[in-house]
Amino acid sequence: MKSRDKRQGIVLVHTGEGKGKSSSAFGVAFRAAGWGMKVCVIQFIKGKWKTGEERAAKQFDNIEWHALGDGFTWDTNNPEQDIKTSREIWELCKEKVRSEEFDLLIFDEINYCTGYGWITGKEIADFIRDERPKWMHLILTGRNAAPELIEVADTVTEMKMTKHAYQSGIQATQGIEF
């Protein structure tokens, strides 16, 4: 493992309408943890929803997991609360980056916040550009990534849905979607 002073951190953005944005990021989290890197996952949407990834992460001493947010924002009855919560989670993200404690941080579903206008893409991109240590890896997930985030990223993957089980009436499945 390269020491921080010899490592070039990478910023990845996983976006698009297809399934697999968060799952891909969590795969990287487990890979990095397996190499002894310190990992922090901060989820913007999940709230109290239990996931297999969070359960698995508890088996690692070097993964810190924060499942935050008020649930699925497209069902919201209180957009002011969602904005407030998203801003508070963004402050936690900045605090974790500034701590320089972690080698990899994942901001899961942050792109939704930019899509809803709760945090601007410019604000996030400026922070990444100005304050992320050059050795730190960062992954931002969610649909509708802001153009500024695509520009600041080193690697951008757009997931495209070709077919999804939900279209056939199959509900979210434990072990596959959560």
Side-chain angles (χ1 to χ4, degrees):
M1 179 62 56
K2 287 185 179 178
S3 62
R4 288 178 171 182
D5 61 330
K6 295 183 179 177
R7 180 172 62 215
Q8 174 61 51
I10 297 174
V11 177
L12 299 98
V13 171
H14 298 172
T15 193
E17 300 295 315
K19 180 178 168 12
K21 297 173 287 293
S22 297
S23 298
S24 177
F26 300 152
V28 175
F30 292 119
R31 179 183 298 138
W35 283 107
M37 297 174 108
K38 287 202 68 177
V39 177
C40 181
V41 175
I42 301 175
Q43 295 183 286
F44 274 78
I45 303 291
K46 298 299 192 260
K48 293 182 170 79
W49 212 39
K50 299 298 178 205
T51 65
E53 298 95 342
E54 183 177 2
R55 290 173 54 108
K58 289 180 180 177
Q59 298 179 41
F60 287 81
D61 293 334
N62 53 336
I63 299 178
E64 183 176 306
W65 198 284
H66 301 272
L68 306 170
D70 298 320
F72 295 102
T73 54
W74 46 89
D75 291 334
T76 191
N77 291 320
N78 191 346
E80 293 80 19
Q81 180 61 43
D82 290 335
I83 293 167
K84 179 180 181 291
T85 301
S86 296
R87 298 297 310 177
E88 289 169 356
I89 297 169
W90 173 232
E91 290 304 314
L92 176 64
C93 292
K94 293 189 294 186
E95 174 186 317
K96 295 297 182 179
V97 168
R98 289 174 179 143
S99 78
E100 297 191 10
E101 180 182 349
F102 300 96
D103 299 291
L104 168 66
L105 288 105
I106 297 172
F107 301 157
D108 186 42
E109 309 292 11
I110 193 171
N111 295 338
Y112 279 104
C113 298
T114 64
Y116 289 125
W118 300 342
I119 307 168
T120 68
K122 180 181 181 336
E123 179 181 356
I124 298 167
D126 287 348
F127 178 79
I128 292 169
R129 212 177 275 114
D130 297 340
E131 297 200 43
R132 176 188 63 96
K134 297 301 179 201
W135 49 263
M136 184 181 284
H137 303 298
L138 183 61
I139 305 176
L140 298 91
T141 73
R143 296 178 183 205
N144 304 316
E148 298 91 346
L149 298 182
I150 291 171
E151 180 185 324
V152 78
D154 299 296
T155 300
V156 178
T157 301
E158 184 171 351
M159 309 291 187
K160 178 181 180 241
M161 183 176 60
T162 302
K163 184 177 181 180
H164 196 291
Y166 186 78
Q167 296 167 321
S168 301
I170 300 171
Q171 298 298 311
T173 303
Q174 187 175 13
I176 301 298
E177 276 91 14
F178 63 94

